Amino acid sequence: MLRWLGASNRMPEEVRIRGGLAVRLEGAPLELVMPSNPVSEVALCGADYPDVRPHFLVSEGDRVRLGQALFADRRRPQIRFAAPAAGVVREIRLGRRRRLEAVVISVEGEEAEEFATGEDPGSVLQQSGLWTSFLARPHGRVPDPDARPETIFVTALDTRPLAPDPMVAIELEPETFRRGISVLRRLAGAGVVICHAPGRRPPVNGQDRIRTVAIRGRHPAGLPGTWLPLLSRVAEGQIVWCIGYADVLAIGHLWLHGRLPAERIVALAGPAVENPGLVRLRHGARLAEVVAGELRSGPVTILSGDVLGGRPSEYLGRYHQQITALPEGAEPRIGGLSLAIARQVPGGPSAAIVPLEALHRALPANPAAIALMRALAAGDAMQARRYGCLALDEEDMALVTRLCQTGADYGVLLRRMLDRIAAGEGE
Amino acid sequence: MSIQADLSRAERRLPGLPDRYNLLLLAAVVPAVLVRAGTDRFLLAPAGALIAALLVAVLSALLSNRRPGWSWLGSSLLFALLLPDAVSPWQAMAAMAFGLAAGERIFGTEGHAPVHPAALALVALSLCGALPPGGGPDWTASAATLPGLCLLLASGMLPWRTAAALALAVALFWSVSGTEVPPALLPAILLICHPHGGAVTLAGRVGQGLLAGVLLSAAAGTVAGAACAAFVASLFSPLIDRAVLGIHQMKRGGRLG
């Protein structure tokens, strides 16, 4: 097994993740950027920022520019949330207890906010709304504005079912990616680690404090919760920041051009899509408009994100790089023969966790996967912490949730546990 | 936020039906119990055990305001399958009631029990001297568990590593000693490889299987020996897991997960 050796300049060149599961679903996207439908509406979804109490800086009917701050976090007002497109604020939708559901913008024009990038990169990212690109682990939340990490991990691989190949987007704008990485290098004390698929190394120069690590393995090998414990001490509480390749491109674009990019490359995929492929979409695009005319006939479920960790949504999620459309009731085929046999057996939900070996494969870097699931189900913070919950995020539990026969949502259980640990329990 | 991920997915399977593990367990033990009841005419004690298990399950459900579930049925049928003929009905009822109450229900419900209720019931009978050295199912009854047992292993519901390690230890011992394989071995696999009370790490399952195999072989494969092997191996499972995780942590420089 690998040892974490401390500083990022002693990272291994390749990490092999044993375990993982095959997730089979038709409709893999062609690695080709196709024209997409025009989108008349975009939105920032509150589901992407569950712990944010918004302090609104605009009202319904206001005209906004791309990159203009729509609201700030009440508790951390330096962190701004920016408009994904220029237009008019059509609706500010609030849910129970005034929680944000969505800020909907009718797209009009191409005006964009200009940002001066000579200052401290942190303050520029906060003002431009790109600070939310970072998710700090443990706890999987947007980091505090004054915080600075020792290491930033860039996820430049994606093993989710039907996910786009990140290198397609990176190779279209290699200089933008390099500029984004250099900005991250200024923020991180020890440096930047870029995790990529084997043989798909991003075009970064061999600079000091920038390392690349190839991650080999089946899903969920591409998720940070799988390889972070092997490359850091996050399970013991060391704070690391994670960012996706698409956000690195956005940061690079901001530094090169002084404004946010209007679009990003997203996969439109799934068995219900006529011609699955890659499209350029505005952030927060309205999914019904994106998929109009692209689907096969019959009732369809449209997910923002992948089939395991995605959610039915009206708009594309902040952290999602794919849209999955599948016929209603369709399920992916997960795993091998034993799970196929188990699926044929009828039965009600189980009262207890049946410790299938597939659950171990769903959390491959954690030998205590079942013990962790039991600790989460029982609400035992000390045991959950002991068994490595700090390294994980909701997306890491998606496969486990799908396989466990109790029907419990381990993503929700993990989030509650992480919030309790953040409040001081389980010390 | 609800912790139920997608109730439509979980309950798309018929509500009220046993879950997959209990259904396959019943598929394994019910034919064997029927074969044994038909050949041995051994009816009163098993029926008593079933009734006692039902009463305990219903009572604990009423007290805890939960569903009784289906685990009591599989446990009581497995207990009935392994029970020697010489055990009287009231002894069987008392042992099964104790095994289910102390082995499972006081811990909440199935999945939280450290030992198999049927194993605890048989161990209790053995400690009271009510379990004769011989008796139990013959090969015909044992062989009737084979289809269900194979399905449990093939579907991953029963940990194959535990079963393989158990079979290896037993095969090695009996190849050396030359004694014949007892017919209670196949039902004993269901007892020992109980998924809820066993080791949770993959290497720990191998250790548990080896330990149970050694104990089972040392007890010459008797019903009492099988019950003790299951009981002791389950009790030692957390320790085996702790050792496995400790080794894993050492290899990773003190990290886990």
Side-chain angles (χ1 to χ4, degrees):
Chain A
M1 294 298 289
L2 299 157
R3 287 180 177 275
W4 178 78
L5 298 173
S8 60
N9 61 357
R10 294 158 82 181
M11 286 282 160
E13 286 191 10
E14 182 169 301
V15 170
R16 184 166 173 231
I17 306 290
R18 290 191 175 84
L21 289 161
V23 183
R24 292 176 210 83
L25 192 64
E26 289 85 27
L30 280 177
E31 302 297 342
L32 194 66
V33 183
M34 307 183 306
S36 63
N37 295 331
V39 165
S40 67
E41 224 174 68
V42 297
L44 283 187
C45 298
D48 292 321
Y49 317 108
D51 62 334
V52 170
R53 296 277 182 185
H55 166 65
F56 289 103
L57 304 170
V58 298
S59 310
E60 288 180 4
D62 285 357
R63 190 160 190 89
V64 295
R65 296 178 294 282
L66 165 67
Q68 180 178 341
L70 298 177
F71 59 92
D73 186 350
R74 222 174 258 280
R75 284 174 299 188
R76 302 178 293 179
Q78 304 95 315
I79 299 176
R80 306 292 177 101
F81 297 79
V88 175
V89 178
R90 185 174 76 75
E91 186 186 1
I92 297 178
R93 213 180 288 164
L94 297 176
R96 277 181 62 226
R97 300 174 68 183
R98 293 187 60 80
R99 284 204 180 271
L100 174 68
E101 282 195 1
V103 178
V104 183
I105 297 173
S106 298
V107 178
E108 280 178 31
E110 298 289 339
E111 301 89 5
E113 193 86 352
E114 301 284 339
F115 297 95
T117 55
E119 303 169 28
D120 165 42
S123 66
V124 175
L125 292 172
Q126 287 156 28
Q127 286 162 27
S128 63
L130 287 179
W131 190 253
T132 59
S133 309
F134 299 110
L135 290 175
R137 294 201 190 198
H139 309 301
R141 292 288 193 224
V142 175
D144 287 335
D146 300 328
R148 294 293 182 268
E150 193 163 312
T151 310
I152 295 178
F153 288 88
V154 176
T155 312
L157 80 159
D158 203 339
T159 55
R160 296 182 185 92
L162 310 183
D165 181 1
M167 288 308 298
V168 172
I170 293 172
E171 282 171 352
L172 283 173
E173 298 178 272
E175 190 50 44
T176 309
F177 188 78
R178 277 191 284 269
R179 181 58 69 93
I181 293 292
S182 69
V183 173
L184 299 184
R185 198 165 67 104
R186 289 166 62 191
L187 281 174
V192 177
V193 178
I194 307 169
C195 295
H196 60 91
R200 306 288 276 155
R201 187 176 178 277
V204 289
N205 305 325
Q207 290 174 288
D208 184 38
R209 296 191 301 124
I210 296 177
R211 288 292 176 269
T212 58
V213 178
I215 308 291
R216 185 184 293 273
R218 293 189 295 191
H219 189 66
L223 298 182
T226 304
W227 42 258
L228 264 180
L230 303 175
L231 302 177
S232 71
R233 288 187 181 272
V234 64
E236 294 168 17
Q238 181 202 15
I239 297 174
V240 298
W241 291 9
C242 298
I243 183 172
Y245 67 94
D247 290 308
V248 175
L249 287 168
I251 291 173
H253 189 282
L254 175 63
W255 251 255
L256 283 176
H257 304 288
R259 52 170 65 183
L260 293 183
E263 295 172 332
R264 61 174 58 186
I265 292 176
V266 169
L268 175 59
V273 179
E274 283 281 0
N275 298 304
L278 306 181
V279 292
R280 289 189 190 273
L281 281 186
R282 291 187 180 276
H283 302 219
R286 188 155 173 265
L287 297 185
E289 293 175 338
V290 174
V291 302
E294 304 285 345
L295 302 179
R296 299 199 166 123
S297 56
V300 167
T301 303
I302 301 170
L303 302 174
S304 174
D306 67 289
V307 67
L308 297 174
R311 61 174 190 252
S313 176
E314 213 178 327
Y315 302 96
L316 180 63
R318 167 69 175 83
Y319 301 105
H320 293 153
Q321 311 308 323
Q322 63 188 105
I323 301 165
T324 308
L326 52 164
E328 253 181 44
E331 296 273 348
R333 293 184 312 281
I334 303 175
L337 184 61
S338 66
L339 283 176
I341 293 172
R343 275 193 291 270
Q344 302 310 313
V345 179
S350 173
I353 298 168
V354 179
L356 304 172
E357 188 156 320
L359 292 171
H360 285 272
R361 301 174 82 82
L363 287 174
N366 192 335
I370 305 295
L372 173 62
M373 289 169 64
R374 285 182 177 164
L376 291 176
D380 190 335
M382 200 162 70
Q383 294 293 340
R385 192 186 175 123
R386 189 164 154 244
Y387 293 130
C389 73
L390 292 181
L392 302 173
D393 203 347
E394 286 102 314
E395 63 178 0
D396 301 305
M397 307 306 287
L399 201 46
V400 164
T401 297
R402 187 63 73 127
L403 293 173
C404 184
Q405 296 171 23
T406 59
D409 188 332
Y410 289 93
V412 170
L413 291 172
L414 177 70
R415 174 47 51 200
R416 287 183 187 173
M417 184 61 67
L418 291 175
D419 290 343
R420 285 170 53 195
I421 292 174
E425 276 190 55
E427 297 284 340
Chain B
M1 285 181 286
S2 168
I3 67 163
Q4 290 300 323
D6 183 355
L7 268 183
S8 63
R9 184 164 50 81
E11 289 187 346
R12 198 175 297 158
R13 311 174 213 134
L14 299 171
L17 204 66
D19 58 282
R20 285 171 178 157
Y21 168 70
N22 280 313
L23 205 60
L24 289 178
L25 181 65
L26 291 174
V29 295
V30 165
V33 168
L34 290 175
V35 163
R36 195 160 172 223
T39 53
D40 296 353
R41 302 278 182 250
F42 177 53
L43 295 171
L44 278 182
L50 215 66
I51 292 167
L54 176 62
L55 287 173
V56 169
V58 169
L59 188 61
S60 65
L62 288 171
L63 288 173
S64 61
N65 199 23
R66 293 182 188 200
R67 290 187 195 173
W70 290 95
S71 61
W72 62 272
L73 186 57
S75 300
S76 57
L77 286 174
L78 190 53
F79 172 75
L81 177 62
L82 287 165
L83 204 59
D85 301 358
V87 176
S88 63
W90 74 266
Q91 288 172 329
M93 290 178 73
M96 191 65 237
F98 170 74
L100 195 62
E104 187 180 279
R105 296 289 148 158
I106 61 171
F107 296 98
T109 182
E110 69 172 310
H112 302 276
V115 295
H116 197 298
L120 185 59
L122 290 167
V123 164
L125 277 177
S126 175
L127 289 174
C128 296
L131 205 62
D138 58 7
W139 271 115
T140 317
S142 280
T145 63
L146 209 49
L149 182 61
C150 290
L151 267 180
L152 278 166
L153 288 169
S155 63
M157 303 276 173
L158 224 56
W160 67 268
R161 290 171 197 258
T162 311
L166 169 72
L168 179 69
V170 163
L172 279 175
F173 184 92
W174 274 318
S175 66
V176 165
S177 67
T179 52
E180 60 178 42
V181 178
L185 177 63
L186 289 179
I189 293 177
L190 292 171
L191 206 61
I192 292 166
C193 300
H194 179 53
H196 296 309
V200 295
T201 58
L202 298 181
R205 289 176 182 177
V206 175
Q208 180 194 359
L210 288 173
L211 175 62
V214 165
L215 293 172
L216 180 65
S217 307
T222 58
V223 171
C228 286
F231 182 74
V232 172
S234 291
L235 287 183
F236 272 84
S237 298
L239 199 61
I240 298 172
D241 281 331
R242 183 74 72 96
V244 168
L245 293 176
I247 293 169
H248 190 90
Q249 261 181 297
M250 270 184 351
K251 282 183 175 178
R252 278 209 198 164
R255 291 165 301 139
L256 184 70

PDB file of all heavy atoms in Angstrom, chain A residues 263-283:
ATOM      1  N   GLU A 263     -19.730  29.776 -20.994  1.00  0.00           N
ATOM      2  CA  GLU A 263     -20.183  28.397 -21.165  1.00  0.00           C
ATOM      3  C   GLU A 263     -19.128  27.429 -20.671  1.00  0.00           C
ATOM      4  O   GLU A 263     -17.959  27.780 -20.483  1.00  0.00           O
ATOM      5  CB  GLU A 263     -20.466  28.119 -22.652  1.00  0.00           C
ATOM      6  CG  GLU A 263     -21.609  28.934 -23.218  1.00  0.00           C
ATOM      7  CD  GLU A 263     -21.725  28.788 -24.719  1.00  0.00           C
ATOM      8  OE1 GLU A 263     -20.706  28.540 -25.381  1.00  0.00           O
ATOM      9  OE2 GLU A 263     -22.857  28.934 -25.223  1.00  0.00           O
ATOM     10  N   ARG A 264     -19.564  26.193 -20.488  1.00  0.00           N
ATOM     11  CA  ARG A 264     -18.634  25.111 -20.203  1.00  0.00           C
ATOM     12  C   ARG A 264     -19.089  23.892 -21.006  1.00  0.00           C
ATOM     13  O   ARG A 264     -20.249  23.816 -21.431  1.00  0.00           O
ATOM     14  CB  ARG A 264     -18.588  24.781 -18.718  1.00  0.00           C
ATOM     15  CG  ARG A 264     -19.902  24.319 -18.113  1.00  0.00           C
ATOM     16  CD  ARG A 264     -19.714  23.870 -16.678  1.00  0.00           C
ATOM     17  NE  ARG A 264     -19.163  24.897 -15.831  1.00  0.00           N
ATOM     18  CZ  ARG A 264     -18.810  24.690 -14.564  1.00  0.00           C
ATOM     19  NH1 ARG A 264     -18.946  23.507 -14.015  1.00  0.00           N
ATOM     20  NH2 ARG A 264     -18.304  25.672 -13.841  1.00  0.00           N
ATOM     21  N   ILE A 265     -18.173  22.937 -21.184  1.00  0.00           N
ATOM     22  CA  ILE A 265     -18.505  21.740 -21.953  1.00  0.00           C
ATOM     23  C   ILE A 265     -19.125  20.710 -21.016  1.00  0.00           C
ATOM     24  O   ILE A 265     -18.557  20.369 -19.977  1.00  0.00           O
ATOM     25  CB  ILE A 265     -17.246  21.177 -22.634  1.00  0.00           C
ATOM     26  CG1 ILE A 265     -16.779  22.152 -23.713  1.00  0.00           C
ATOM     27  CG2 ILE A 265     -17.529  19.813 -23.257  1.00  0.00           C
ATOM     28  CD1 ILE A 265     -15.494  21.750 -24.388  1.00  0.00           C
ATOM     29  N   VAL A 266     -20.290  20.234 -21.411  1.00  0.00           N
ATOM     30  CA  VAL A 266     -21.072  19.313 -20.580  1.00  0.00           C
ATOM     31  C   VAL A 266     -21.487  18.143 -21.458  1.00  0.00           C
ATOM     32  O   VAL A 266     -21.723  18.310 -22.660  1.00  0.00           O
ATOM     33  CB  VAL A 266     -22.316  20.060 -20.030  1.00  0.00           C
ATOM     34  CG1 VAL A 266     -23.300  19.104 -19.390  1.00  0.00           C
ATOM     35  CG2 VAL A 266     -21.898  21.113 -19.022  1.00  0.00           C
ATOM     36  N   ALA A 267     -21.602  16.958 -20.876  1.00  0.00           N
ATOM     37  CA  ALA A 267     -22.056  15.787 -21.636  1.00  0.00           C
ATOM     38  C   ALA A 267     -23.571  15.707 -21.576  1.00  0.00           C
ATOM     39  O   ALA A 267     -24.174  15.883 -20.521  1.00  0.00           O
ATOM     40  CB  ALA A 267     -21.442  14.519 -21.062  1.00  0.00           C
ATOM     41  N   LEU A 268     -24.158  15.447 -22.728  1.00  0.00           N
ATOM     42  CA  LEU A 268     -25.594  15.144 -22.778  1.00  0.00           C
ATOM     43  C   LEU A 268     -25.673  13.673 -23.152  1.00  0.00           C
ATOM     44  O   LEU A 268     -25.326  13.292 -24.276  1.00  0.00           O
ATOM     45  CB  LEU A 268     -26.281  16.027 -23.822  1.00  0.00           C
ATOM     46  CG  LEU A 268     -27.770  15.752 -24.076  1.00  0.00           C
ATOM     47  CD1 LEU A 268     -28.578  15.914 -22.800  1.00  0.00           C
ATOM     48  CD2 LEU A 268     -28.308  16.712 -25.149  1.00  0.00           C
ATOM     49  N   ALA A 269     -26.058  12.839 -22.214  1.00  0.00           N
ATOM     50  CA  ALA A 269     -25.894  11.396 -22.418  1.00  0.00           C
ATOM     51  C   ALA A 269     -27.034  10.629 -21.766  1.00  0.00           C
ATOM     52  O   ALA A 269     -27.833  11.192 -21.013  1.00  0.00           O
ATOM     53  CB  ALA A 269     -24.559  10.937 -21.823  1.00  0.00           C
ATOM     54  N   GLY A 270     -27.071   9.355 -22.082  1.00  0.00           N
ATOM     55  CA  GLY A 270     -28.075   8.491 -21.468  1.00  0.00           C
ATOM     56  C   GLY A 270     -28.845   7.721 -22.514  1.00  0.00           C
ATOM     57  O   GLY A 270     -28.837   8.083 -23.711  1.00  0.00           O
ATOM     58  N   PRO A 271     -29.524   6.646 -22.116  1.00  0.00           N
ATOM     59  CA  PRO A 271     -30.238   5.821 -23.087  1.00  0.00           C
ATOM     60  C   PRO A 271     -31.414   6.528 -23.757  1.00  0.00           C
ATOM     61  O   PRO A 271     -31.878   6.078 -24.799  1.00  0.00           O
ATOM     62  CB  PRO A 271     -30.729   4.627 -22.246  1.00  0.00           C
ATOM     63  CG  PRO A 271     -30.537   4.991 -20.835  1.00  0.00           C
ATOM     64  CD  PRO A 271     -29.550   6.087 -20.756  1.00  0.00           C
ATOM     65  N   ALA A 272     -31.881   7.639 -23.186  1.00  0.00           N
ATOM     66  CA  ALA A 272     -33.019   8.332 -23.789  1.00  0.00           C
ATOM     67  C   ALA A 272     -32.603   9.428 -24.765  1.00  0.00           C
ATOM     68  O   ALA A 272     -33.456  10.102 -25.336  1.00  0.00           O
ATOM     69  CB  ALA A 272     -33.893   8.949 -22.695  1.00  0.00           C
ATOM     70  N   VAL A 273     -31.294   9.611 -24.954  1.00  0.00           N
ATOM     71  CA  VAL A 273     -30.806  10.677 -25.839  1.00  0.00           C
ATOM     72  C   VAL A 273     -30.561  10.089 -27.221  1.00  0.00           C
ATOM     73  O   VAL A 273     -29.906   9.060 -27.353  1.00  0.00           O
ATOM     74  CB  VAL A 273     -29.509  11.297 -25.277  1.00  0.00           C
ATOM     75  CG1 VAL A 273     -29.000  12.391 -26.200  1.00  0.00           C
ATOM     76  CG2 VAL A 273     -29.747  11.847 -23.880  1.00  0.00           C
ATOM     77  N   GLU A 274     -31.062  10.789 -28.246  1.00  0.00           N
ATOM     78  CA  GLU A 274     -30.887  10.287 -29.619  1.00  0.00           C
ATOM     79  C   GLU A 274     -29.415  10.259 -30.028  1.00  0.00           C
ATOM     80  O   GLU A 274     -28.923   9.261 -30.540  1.00  0.00           O
ATOM     81  CB  GLU A 274     -31.660  11.194 -30.592  1.00  0.00           C
ATOM     82  CG  GLU A 274     -33.151  10.973 -30.624  1.00  0.00           C
ATOM     83  CD  GLU A 274     -33.569   9.767 -31.451  1.00  0.00           C
ATOM     84  OE1 GLU A 274     -32.679   9.075 -32.020  1.00  0.00           O
ATOM     85  OE2 GLU A 274     -34.766   9.493 -31.514  1.00  0.00           O
ATOM     86  N   ASN A 275     -28.747  11.398 -29.824  1.00  0.00           N
ATOM     87  CA  ASN A 275     -27.333  11.529 -30.225  1.00  0.00           C
ATOM     88  C   ASN A 275     -26.521  12.037 -29.037  1.00  0.00           C
ATOM     89  O   ASN A 275     -26.245  13.242 -28.935  1.00  0.00           O
ATOM     90  CB  ASN A 275     -27.197  12.510 -31.394  1.00  0.00           C
ATOM     91  CG  ASN A 275     -27.955  12.015 -32.616  1.00  0.00           C
ATOM     92  OD1 ASN A 275     -27.729  10.911 -33.101  1.00  0.00           O
ATOM     93  ND2 ASN A 275     -28.880  12.841 -33.103  1.00  0.00           N
ATOM     94  N   PRO A 276     -26.137  11.136 -28.149  1.00  0.00           N
ATOM     95  CA  PRO A 276     -25.386  11.609 -26.973  1.00  0.00           C
ATOM     96  C   PRO A 276     -24.036  12.179 -27.383  1.00  0.00           C
ATOM     97  O   PRO A 276     -23.361  11.643 -28.265  1.00  0.00           O
ATOM     98  CB  PRO A 276     -25.224  10.343 -26.127  1.00  0.00           C
ATOM     99  CG  PRO A 276     -25.561   9.199 -26.999  1.00  0.00           C
ATOM    100  CD  PRO A 276     -26.362   9.684 -28.140  1.00  0.00           C
ATOM    101  N   GLY A 277     -23.674  13.274 -26.765  1.00  0.00           N
ATOM    102  CA  GLY A 277     -22.401  13.909 -27.093  1.00  0.00           C
ATOM    103  C   GLY A 277     -22.104  15.021 -26.121  1.00  0.00           C
ATOM    104  O   GLY A 277     -22.714  15.120 -25.053  1.00  0.00           O
ATOM    105  N   LEU A 278     -21.160  15.884 -26.492  1.00  0.00           N
ATOM    106  CA  LEU A 278     -20.762  17.004 -25.641  1.00  0.00           C
ATOM    107  C   LEU A 278     -21.362  18.287 -26.211  1.00  0.00           C
ATOM    108  O   LEU A 278     -21.415  18.461 -27.431  1.00  0.00           O
ATOM    109  CB  LEU A 278     -19.235  17.120 -25.592  1.00  0.00           C
ATOM    110  CG  LEU A 278     -18.489  15.847 -25.167  1.00  0.00           C
ATOM    111  CD1 LEU A 278     -16.984  16.103 -25.147  1.00  0.00           C
ATOM    112  CD2 LEU A 278     -18.958  15.374 -23.810  1.00  0.00           C
ATOM    113  N   VAL A 279     -21.783  19.160 -25.332  1.00  0.00           N
ATOM    114  CA  VAL A 279     -22.363  20.431 -25.753  1.00  0.00           C
ATOM    115  C   VAL A 279     -21.758  21.548 -24.916  1.00  0.00           C
ATOM    116  O   VAL A 279     -21.298  21.315 -23.802  1.00  0.00           O
ATOM    117  CB  VAL A 279     -23.906  20.450 -25.587  1.00  0.00           C
ATOM    118  CG1 VAL A 279     -24.562  19.485 -26.566  1.00  0.00           C
ATOM    119  CG2 VAL A 279     -24.317  20.105 -24.171  1.00  0.00           C
ATOM    120  N   ARG A 280     -21.754  22.756 -25.469  1.00  0.00           N
ATOM    121  CA  ARG A 280     -21.347  23.934 -24.694  1.00  0.00           C
ATOM    122  C   ARG A 280     -22.607  24.555 -24.118  1.00  0.00           C
ATOM    123  O   ARG A 280     -23.541  24.885 -24.849  1.00  0.00           O
ATOM    124  CB  ARG A 280     -20.659  24.955 -25.602  1.00  0.00           C
ATOM    125  CG  ARG A 280     -19.293  24.540 -26.063  1.00  0.00           C
ATOM    126  CD  ARG A 280     -18.594  25.678 -26.774  1.00  0.00           C
ATOM    127  NE  ARG A 280     -17.375  25.212 -27.418  1.00  0.00           N
ATOM    128  CZ  ARG A 280     -16.198  25.141 -26.802  1.00  0.00           C
ATOM    129  NH1 ARG A 280     -16.095  25.504 -25.529  1.00  0.00           N
ATOM    130  NH2 ARG A 280     -15.139  24.702 -27.446  1.00  0.00           N
ATOM    131  N   LEU A 281     -22.599  24.710 -22.816  1.00  0.00           N
ATOM    132  CA  LEU A 281     -23.801  25.198 -22.147  1.00  0.00           C
ATOM    133  C   LEU A 281     -23.456  26.318 -21.205  1.00  0.00           C
ATOM    134  O   LEU A 281     -22.367  26.320 -20.601  1.00  0.00           O
ATOM    135  CB  LEU A 281     -24.436  24.090 -21.298  1.00  0.00           C
ATOM    136  CG  LEU A 281     -25.284  23.037 -21.986  1.00  0.00           C
ATOM    137  CD1 LEU A 281     -25.916  22.160 -20.926  1.00  0.00           C
ATOM    138  CD2 LEU A 281     -26.356  23.685 -22.839  1.00  0.00           C
ATOM    139  N   ARG A 282     -24.407  27.211 -21.049  1.00  0.00           N
ATOM    140  CA  ARG A 282     -24.262  28.203 -19.989  1.00  0.00           C
ATOM    141  C   ARG A 282     -24.390  27.501 -18.638  1.00  0.00           C
ATOM    142  O   ARG A 282     -25.119  26.518 -18.504  1.00  0.00           O
ATOM    143  CB  ARG A 282     -25.361  29.256 -20.109  1.00  0.00           C
ATOM    144  CG  ARG A 282     -25.209  30.143 -21.327  1.00  0.00           C
ATOM    145  CD  ARG A 282     -26.221  31.265 -21.297  1.00  0.00           C
ATOM    146  NE  ARG A 282     -26.077  32.117 -22.450  1.00  0.00           N
ATOM    147  CZ  ARG A 282     -25.214  33.123 -22.530  1.00  0.00           C
ATOM    148  NH1 ARG A 282     -24.428  33.401 -21.505  1.00  0.00           N
ATOM    149  NH2 ARG A 282     -25.134  33.867 -23.612  1.00  0.00           N
ATOM    150  N   HIS A 283     -23.722  28.044 -17.644  1.00  0.00           N
ATOM    151  CA  HIS A 283     -23.872  27.505 -16.290  1.00  0.00           C
ATOM    152  C   HIS A 283     -25.328  27.622 -15.870  1.00  0.00           C
ATOM    153  O   HIS A 283     -25.973  28.616 -16.154  1.00  0.00           O
ATOM    154  CB  HIS A 283     -23.046  28.344 -15.303  1.00  0.00           C
ATOM    155  CG  HIS A 283     -21.599  28.409 -15.651  1.00  0.00           C
ATOM    156  ND1 HIS A 283     -20.607  28.357 -14.710  1.00  0.00           N
ATOM    157  CD2 HIS A 283     -20.967  28.525 -16.830  1.00  0.00           C
ATOM    158  CE1 HIS A 283     -19.440  28.445 -15.305  1.00  0.00           C
ATOM    159  NE2 HIS A 283     -19.624  28.550 -16.596  1.00  0.00           N
TER     160      HIS A 283
END
